[in-house]
Amino acid sequence: MSKRKANTRQRRGSAQPTLAQVAELAGVSSITASRALNDPERVNAATRQRILDAMERIGYVPNLVAGSLASARSRFIAVVVPSLANAVFIEVIQGLQATFEAAGYQILLGNTDYDIEREHQLVRTFLGWSCSALVTAGLRHTPACRELLAGCDRPVMEVMELGEALDLNVGLDHEEAGSCMARHLLQRGYRDIVYVGARMGEDYRAAMRYAGHRAALEAAGLAPHLLELDRLGSLEAGAEGLERVREQFPDAKAIHFANDDLATGALLHALRLGMRVPEEIAIAGFNGLPLGQHVTPRLTTIQSSRHTMGRLAAEQVLRCLAGEEVEARRQDVGFTLLEGEST
Amino acid sequence: MSKRKANTRQRRGSAQPTLAQVAELAGVSSITASRALNDPERVNAATRQRILDAMERIGYVPNLVAGSLASARSRFIAVVVPSLANAVFIEVIQGLQATFEAAGYQILLGNTDYDIEREHQLVRTFLGWSCSALVTAGLRHTPACRELLAGCDRPVMEVMELGEALDLNVGLDHEEAGSCMARHLLQRGYRDIVYVGARMGEDYRAAMRYAGHRAALEAAGLAPHLLELDRLGSLEAGAEGLERVREQFPDAKAIHFANDDLATGALLHALRLGMRVPEEIAIAGFNGLPLGQHVTPRLTTIQSSRHTMGRLAAEQVLRCLAGEEVEARRQDVGFTLLEGEST
DNA sequence: CGCTAACATGTTAGCGCTACCATTCTTGTA
DNA sequence: TACAAGAATGGTAGCGCTAACATGTTAGCG
């Protein structure tokens, strides 16, 4: 009895077929079966086919968890963004995903809800999954998170804005973009200009654009005006922004919105109210979302190429992972002023 | 020398601190350190604190890959959607993510690009990651994929539409929704109605709505008209749809678009052309995106609660994972007709 | 004071795979 | 013919963690 008992220890594990079973069926060792999947060149073609047939036959699904543990690397790329509600991040994610998936990497998506503590938490989790690289939206992290990111021996890519990056960096200069739009408004002859942002403490890139806007106005000898909404950018919030500008800044002739959602919301609201744009009020945005180009008048905005940003970022990371030397660790994707009829 | 050599076999693994190191520092065994993280109640409070301090001190990051292998379960939920370009899926993902992340699960996101072979591939990969559950958009899979999904001993949730599901199912009846909108148009007195879809072979839910639309028209003794665009839904495509309807169906008085992107694109294009909506042409959509409610006239559409769909789906899955008995394996989230001024 | 139950902690043995090194078998070359 | 170089395959030992079982330790009870 006791002898039996000693052997009775329950087996764990799923009932899934394993590589060892495949190997046995194919009459090879498990390492050869492993190679047939991961390094096919190193296995004789006939043997390989026998192994693949065996896999097919017993319905083998590779246990990637075991593989990652053994090889100390996964084919995960961690992607951390502050929000999924914002089309901008979605487009960056699309660019990343298309490129990474094509290279056989899987995206691990994390959403911080604009909370850098949450970001730190997510980074820890993702590192725990032995992700091959990390992509974060933005350069602002908690000190502990910076330390984690700097200390992990994997490529770290920071996208969206340019600056003092930890490793790789693809983005655009938001201050410059804000300044560009402000100069455009000045050039069009507007003097009473209000900048409208939404939760700029969280969306600090909007605050960076405001800084550029402000600098441009001050350079022209004008006082900047700021209105901040206590809600995230949306069409609805844009409508509210327009209303509040009319109350608080009755002389305003132009509104520079922090993004296209706000700007388009305001534009549609103005049309709904029967206001003439840009005669009564000029409206400008940022992002270059398709929506703004389909309304009449078309929205004046700044086009940022988010899909390209994602693609470039992914390509850089892949280059690093392939061991290639990456010369330009910082890439500026730039932006374009789209002059619509709304200004 | 040879003795040395025997021991020289290179160690693999990262230089990351391990649980064993934490345990040694805290003066406990590694299983106790493991419990301090995964089952804190079972460890004495003072001991636990000592362990947590040790982790903090040496910067321990749990290796989740190893943990998953040992326990044969990960805290991943696989989510497979056909597209990230469509706001609808994004909103479902948001609902899923908020709920799953709050419960400590991580989303593994896959994008099939409307290719069910790709879906099969992704499902295999995700199963290989020992995901705790799978969520797929839709009920259509390759036979092999169905088999995989049916055979894995994990909760499988199919969202978006209702029907013959493998396991759990949360969605709405698209045929009924299409029929509802068609009846609305008939009730408003429109007789010459065209349904405009975009790539309905891929977006088969749009085809289901057309089936409902068609049935309603035929029930009223009217012939259905269909125009299919060879591109995915977008504002741009909607504008094209309007143009093509005017060419091919000059008598059309109402257009029932497969979704709000198309409908809003058409609506904005009509306004741009100076057409009066709904007097010259009535326009209806599907989804209830915010955009449609901010244009003038407001878009008549069908509101589907995508965030709720995601949340409900996640809650059901979590209930299953917690071992609770789930009574309603199929949940209908329904829809609401939003009567705007565009019809 | 002995006994039980509940708590706290430890020992052991893998989870399924791949890195490392070793071995066998070809093939080409001097 | 001997030998080097390469191709194909295998044996072994973990990767870092946790399930299962085992043991020690304390409190409560009659």
Side-chain angles (χ1 to χ4, degrees):
Chain A
M1 267 314 253
S2 70
K3 213 164 93 186
R4 230 184 99 74
K5 195 167 168 224
N7 269 346
T8 309
R9 191 153 181 161
Q10 284 299 328
R11 281 296 180 76
R12 277 89 51 75
S14 49
Q16 294 291 324
T18 69
L19 244 201
Q21 290 169 33
V22 169
E24 190 178 358
L25 188 58
V28 296
S29 72
S30 56
I31 185 69
T32 304
S34 168
R35 281 197 276 255
L37 280 181
N38 301 318
D39 200 358
E41 304 299 300
R42 283 170 50 87
V43 177
N44 179 288
T47 313
R48 184 167 67 234
Q49 195 52 54
R50 220 167 58 239
I51 294 169
L52 295 178
D53 289 346
M55 288 179 174
E56 175 79 15
R57 188 129 40 103
I58 64 176
Y60 173 71
V61 177
N63 184 327
L64 301 172
V65 177
S68 291
L69 180 59
S71 65
R73 55 197 168 64
S74 72
R75 295 190 70 84
F76 280 137
I77 307 285
V79 175
V80 183
V81 296
S83 164
L84 292 182
N86 191 328
V88 169
F89 298 114
I90 299 294
E91 291 177 49
V92 174
I93 291 170
Q94 282 185 65
L96 290 166
Q97 206 195 32
T99 314
F100 279 128
E101 282 203 19
Y105 286 87
Q106 195 54 54
I107 294 259
L108 256 177
L109 184 61
N111 177 357
T112 70
D113 276 320
Y114 287 103
D115 175 353
I116 58 173
E117 279 302 338
R118 176 102 192 90
E119 180 188 57
H120 179 200
Q121 189 54 51
L122 283 169
V123 166
R124 269 177 64 92
T125 303
F126 291 155
L127 286 175
W129 280 110
S130 304
C131 62
S132 301
L134 293 103
V135 180
T136 72
L139 300 168
R140 296 206 184 163
H141 317 288
T142 64
C145 185
R146 282 189 77 81
E147 202 178 316
L148 260 186
L149 289 171
C152 74
D153 52 346
R154 286 158 252 215
V156 173
M157 166 63 78
E158 290 164 289
V159 293
M160 304 307 290
E161 80 245 28
L162 295 171
E164 288 295 319
L166 289 159
D167 183 8
L168 300 163
N169 188 199
V170 171
L172 58 95
D173 186 332
H174 286 260
E175 201 164 324
E176 187 51 46
S179 165
C180 169
M181 179 59 81
R183 288 196 307 271
H184 163 80
L185 292 171
L186 291 170
Q187 197 196 320
R188 285 277 166 111
Y190 299 106
R191 286 298 172 267
D192 293 300
I193 307 174
V194 181
Y195 188 93
V196 177
R199 293 236 182 126
M200 296 204 300
E202 294 177 349
D203 183 5
Y204 65 88
R205 280 174 286 271
M208 293 165 86
R209 295 193 290 276
Y210 174 61
H213 167 98
R214 181 182 174 135
L217 261 68
E218 286 172 346
L222 295 172
H225 298 293
L226 175 66
L227 175 71
E228 188 165 359
L229 302 171
D230 188 29
R231 51 198 288 196
L232 284 175
S234 66
L235 295 172
E236 190 66 34
E240 182 193 332
L242 175 62
E243 291 286 354
R244 296 206 20 212
V245 166
R246 294 179 73 195
E247 283 168 28
Q248 293 177 37
F249 304 96
D251 295 332
K253 288 288 176 292
I255 312 180
H256 180 179
F257 282 95
N259 61 50
D260 277 6
D261 292 291
L262 290 169
T264 312
L267 178 51
L268 292 171
H269 189 57
L271 298 177
R272 204 151 54 224
L273 296 176
M275 294 176 72
R276 291 165 57 231
V277 177
E279 291 79 1
E280 290 177 61
I281 189 82
I283 292 176
F286 173 83
N287 271 337
L289 298 185
L291 172 57
Q293 305 313 302
H294 281 264
V295 291
T296 315
R298 281 179 304 168
L299 183 67
T300 293
T301 186
I302 282 181
Q303 175 76 52
S304 65
S305 30
R306 297 164 300 275
H307 198 278
T308 304
M309 192 146 61
R311 183 175 49 75
L312 283 178
E315 286 169 0
Q316 287 278 64
V317 168
L318 288 172
R319 226 169 276 134
C320 270
L321 289 173
E324 291 172 38
E325 204 46 60
V326 174
E327 62 307 331
R329 307 192 80 78
R330 181 181 302 173
Q331 281 193 295
D332 187 347
V333 296
F335 55 82
T336 321
L337 178 67
L338 285 186
E339 300 194 28
E341 296 83 34
S342 72
T343 51
Chain B
M1 266 318 250
S2 72
K3 213 164 95 185
R4 230 183 98 76
K5 193 168 169 228
N7 270 346
T8 308
R9 191 153 181 165
Q10 283 302 326
R11 281 295 180 77
R12 278 88 53 73
S14 49
Q16 292 292 322
T18 70
L19 244 201
Q21 289 168 35
V22 169
E24 189 177 1
L25 188 58
V28 296
S29 72
S30 57
I31 187 70
T32 304
S34 169
R35 281 198 274 255
L37 281 181
N38 301 318
D39 199 359
E41 304 299 301
R42 283 170 50 88
V43 177
N44 178 286
T47 312
R48 183 168 65 234
Q49 195 52 55
R50 219 167 59 238
I51 294 169
L52 296 178
D53 289 347
M55 288 178 174
E56 175 78 14
R57 188 128 42 101
I58 64 175
Y60 172 69
V61 177
N63 184 326
L64 301 172
V65 177
S68 290
L69 180 60
S71 65
R73 57 198 164 63
S74 73
R75 295 191 68 84
F76 280 137
I77 307 286
V79 175
V80 184
V81 295
S83 163
L84 291 182
N86 190 327
V88 169
F89 297 114
I90 299 294
E91 291 177 49
V92 174
I93 291 170
Q94 282 185 66
L96 289 166
Q97 205 194 33
T99 313
F100 279 128
E101 282 204 19
Y105 286 88
Q106 196 54 53
I107 294 262
L108 257 177
L109 185 61
N111 178 356
T112 69
D113 276 320
Y114 286 102
D115 175 353
I116 58 173
E117 279 303 338
R118 176 101 190 92
E119 181 189 56
H120 180 199
Q121 189 54 51
L122 283 169
V123 166
R124 268 177 64 95
T125 303
F126 291 155
L127 286 174
W129 281 109
S130 304
C131 62
S132 301
L134 294 104
V135 180
T136 71
L139 301 168
R140 296 207 184 162
H141 317 287
T142 64
C145 185
R146 283 189 76 82
E147 200 179 319
L148 259 187
L149 289 170
C152 74
D153 52 347
R154 284 159 255 212
V156 174
M157 166 64 79
E158 290 165 288
V159 293
M160 303 308 288
E161 79 247 28
L162 295 171
E164 288 295 320
L166 289 159
D167 182 8
L168 299 162
N169 188 200
V170 171
L172 58 93
D173 186 330
H174 286 259
E175 201 164 324
E176 186 52 44
S179 165
C180 169
M181 179 58 83
R183 287 197 307 270
H184 162 81
L185 293 171
L186 291 170
Q187 197 195 322
R188 285 275 166 112
Y190 299 105
R191 287 297 172 270
D192 292 301
I193 307 173
V194 181
Y195 187 94
V196 177
R199 293 234 183 128
M200 296 205 298
E202 294 178 349
D203 183 4
Y204 64 88
R205 279 174 288 271
M208 293 165 86
R209 295 193 290 274
Y210 174 62
H213 167 99
R214 181 182 175 134
L217 260 66
E218 286 173 347
L222 296 171
H225 299 294
L226 175 66
L227 176 70
E228 188 165 359
L229 303 170
D230 189 31
R231 53 200 284 196
L232 284 174
S234 66
L235 294 172
E236 191 66 33
E240 182 192 332
L242 175 63
E243 292 285 355
R244 298 210 12 217
V245 166
R246 294 179 74 195
E247 284 168 26
Q248 293 178 37
F249 305 96
D251 295 331
K253 288 289 177 289
I255 312 181
H256 181 178
F257 283 96
N259 62 49
D260 277 6
D261 291 292
L262 291 170
T264 311
L267 178 50
L268 291 171
H269 189 57
L271 298 176
R272 205 152 53 224
L273 296 176
M275 294 176 73
R276 290 162 61 230
V277 178
E279 290 79 0
E280 290 178 63
I281 188 82
I283 292 176
F286 173 83
N287 272 337
L289 298 184
L291 174 55
Q293 305 313 301
H294 281 264
V295 292
T296 312
R298 282 178 304 170
L299 182 67
T300 293
T301 186
I302 282 180
Q303 175 76 52
S304 64
S305 30
R306 297 164 299 276
H307 198 279
T308 304
M309 192 146 62
R311 183 173 49 74
L312 283 178
E315 286 170 359
Q316 287 278 64
V317 169
L318 288 173
R319 227 170 275 136
C320 271
L321 289 173
E324 291 172 38
E325 204 45 62
V326 174
E327 61 308 331
R329 307 191 81 77
R330 180 181 303 172
Q331 281 193 296
D332 186 349
V333 297
F335 55 82
T336 321
L337 177 67
L338 285 185
E339 300 194 29
E341 296 83 34
S342 72
T343 52

